[in-house]
Amino acid sequence: MPTWKSVQLAPQRPWSVSIISWAVLLLGCAGPAAAQTAKPSLSAKPPQRPKLVVLLVVDQMRGDYVDKFRGQWTGGLKRLIEEGAWYRDAAYPYAATETCVGHSTISTGAFPATHGMVANAWWDRETQKMVTCTADPNAKNSGYAGAAAKGGDTAWRMLIPSFAEELKFQTGGAARVVTFSLKARAAITMAGHKADAATWFDNGGWMTSSAYGTMPFIEDYAKAHPVKSDYGKTWKPALPASDYLYDEKTPGAGPPEGWGPTFPHALRGKGVDAEPDAAFYEQWASSPYADTYLTRLAETAVDQLGLGKSGATDFLGVSYSSIDYVGHEFGPRSREIQDILITLDKDLSELFEHLDKKVGRGNYVVALSADHGVVPIPEDMAKTGADAGVLHLPELQEKIEKSLEPFSYPKPAIARIAGSDVYFAPGLADRLNQDGTAMQAVSDAALSQPGVAAIYWADEIEDRPATQNPIRTAFADSYFPGRSGDLFIVSKPYWLMDSTPAGKTRSYGTGHGTPYNYDQHVPIFLIGYGIQPGDYYREVSPADIAPTLASLCGITLVPRDGHVLAEALSKPAARTTRSAP
């Protein structure tokens, strides 16, 4: 019998091999619900399953944003807090806190060591080049409303099915699955390998791929509401200056081209031409206008497809990307972050009201979380007196190369450093494993780089060994052989890992991708059908979302790392027992 690893690393599409065996296991898992013991009136009888599952991911929404800013929310976010189940100690247990990884974890209920999506992009040892997590050489992207498309993107690198595709499969195809985001790696991983529609924004237009096909209503909406109609608008503060928690200007901020470091922010691109340019679309994606557009697009999908009215449980996924862009540019301690969440609060209020009207309040369930958090901008954090700085990866690479010079290893020794992962040239990692002196030289060189707290070699974390070290465990939960690096760099807390070449200025404010709580801690909210409102304080993970939704929908996930959030599920009516004859 093949092991998980042998199946996952086979040259053919790994999910397509194993889905046949899964089908045998899963047939019949979504059978009819048990009969009700009592017979309430038809008007009061709840549906056996939610009519619609709504998965919302707020890209880069730190868990502490809720406590910091909740007093200024009056709409959808407030409704989640007051009427939903709020898990206040939710966090990812792994180190690879990135967009593709987090969305894959939420959608599958598994960690990267299981689902295989270890980063937004990683070094492909076979082709000796970087590949994005959704790049598929056998797919072709297409654009709506005449937008130019390039490449091909699918979920073929995600090694297990998503909740959404299991929902569709186990209901015999009756469920409709629709997802939207500005990012391909968000829309695609929420949907899975197949969906009715997976749509994202790129190169100034809305995209899909041959794996998902096109939807006429999206074509019509894109034509009727072109993004360029927002050209010339200005993002102005929604609050008086005295209501913002932070200074007007954040030290170290890296706003997009054409914007200054403070409000207001005009959406005029470089300001040279009267027509939208590439800089305008970057500005638009970093503005509240993009969140509002996604909300309206989701509402249109509900209307045009009749989501929640198929007779099965439909699925709608929306990932709001703009908070991530703003966080990278202005940092978490910025007026821009505080402000864009106010707009999102209003957008979610509109979305929930639309769902109340079209699907029925109590007939749908919503799960909201984030894919990761973010580290404060190091220049801003340094003001507090904390040990904060920038870990320059090009300098680290140079030190490792020099450390191997006495051992006559071929140059360059390093093929690529991608985030915390160091990939050595072909065959060199195996040689180092047999050469303890050279390996120690590499370790010493890496640890001498300012900002490095620790390092791990691949064999120290492979197979997720039992350990009392939470950092080592976090890297083990992120590790997938063949995709992850050969050596892993652990930055010090509040140190930003930066790959900007020597002599050039960093073009952004901050990032994420570490095993620290500011990157791992995110909110989890559940509201609607089958949910018991309240504040819950036990440690949970976003990997628990998919199993919980699966429990509500009578769906089986295989495999999974998460667990059902049982305390947040409404308790069923007590069953009556029949006396023996």
Side-chain angles (χ1 to χ4, degrees), residues 95-113:
T97 43
E98 298 186 13
T99 296
C100 188
V101 188
H103 281 79
S104 299
T105 295
I106 292 171
S107 72
T108 64
F111 299 150

Side-chain angles (χ1 to χ4, degrees), residues 22 350 390 409:
W22 288 337
E350 178 184 310
V390 178
Y409 278 74

Side-chain angles (χ1 to χ4, degrees), residues 9-212:
L9 294 177
Q12 64 266 39
R13 298 187 174 215
W15 72 270
S16 64
V17 174
S18 53
I19 196 69
I20 298 174
S21 60
W22 288 337
V24 176
L25 293 172
L26 299 174
L27 280 174
C29 288
Q36 299 289 320
T37 56
K39 294 184 177 181
S41 64
L42 291 177
S43 61
K45 183 179 180 180
Q48 295 180 340
R49 303 283 185 239
K51 294 182 178 180
L52 175 66
V53 170
V54 181
L55 177 61
L56 304 175
V57 182
V58 184
D59 202 321
Q60 204 191 104
M61 185 175 183
R62 285 172 47 141
D64 60 355
Y65 287 168
V66 182
D67 284 314
K68 288 180 180 179
F69 306 133
R70 59 184 291 190
Q72 296 171 335
W73 298 339
T74 60
L77 290 173
K78 181 180 180 180
R79 179 170 167 180
L80 289 168
I81 294 169
E82 294 185 348
E83 301 179 23
W86 175 15
Y87 281 88
R88 304 182 67 146
D89 195 18
Y92 291 96
Y94 54 73
T97 43
E98 298 186 13
T99 296
C100 188
V101 188
H103 281 79
S104 299
T105 295
I106 292 171
S107 72
T108 64
F111 299 150
T114 301
H115 61 60
M117 301 294 247
V118 297
N120 290 339
W122 56 84
W123 183 253
D124 184 74
R125 290 176 171 87
E126 181 178 350
T127 62
Q128 288 293 291
K129 65 180 182 179
M130 292 293 292
V131 294
T132 65
C133 65
T134 58
D136 186 344
N138 297 305
K140 184 178 181 180
N141 292 342
S142 60
Y144 285 104
K150 58 182 179 181
D153 291 274
T154 71
W156 80 287
R157 298 180 193 272
M158 191 166 76
L159 301 174
I160 60 177
S162 68
F163 161 77
E165 62 185 304
E166 289 283 25
L167 180 68
K168 191 172 186 68
F169 170 64
Q170 294 179 40
T171 56
R176 278 85 60 83
V177 175
V178 182
T179 64
F180 300 100
S181 180
L182 298 188
K183 299 181 181 181
R185 56 184 176 268
I188 287 172
T189 51
M190 286 192 301
H193 302 87
K194 294 291 183 181
D196 295 278
T199 309
W200 61 92
F201 190 77
D202 187 35
N203 199 32
W206 295 99
M207 304 290 156
T208 185
S209 89
S210 52
Y212 307 107

Side-chain angles (χ1 to χ4, degrees), residues 473-559:
T473 299
F475 275 90
D477 285 340
S478 302
Y479 180 81
F480 193 89
R483 292 184 177 181
S484 299
D486 303 304
L487 175 66
F488 301 88
I489 307 301
V490 185
S491 63
K492 292 181 179 179
Y494 297 115
W495 280 70
L496 173 68
M497 302 182 80
D498 177 48
S499 59
T500 302
K504 293 189 177 181
T505 303
R506 191 172 86 243
S507 61
Y508 61 97
T510 190
H512 44 81
T514 74
Y516 298 119
N517 198 242
Y518 48 67
D519 280 345
Q520 294 178 325
H521 179 38
V522 296
I524 290 180
F525 288 103
L526 301 166
I527 191 172
Y529 176 91
I531 300 301
Q532 182 67 39
D535 291 4
Y536 300 94
Y537 290 88
R538 73 178 179 95
E539 294 183 10
V540 298
S541 159
D544 299 327
I545 293 173
T548 303
L549 295 176
S551 179
L552 284 172
C553 298
I555 297 300
T556 299
L557 301 180
V558 184

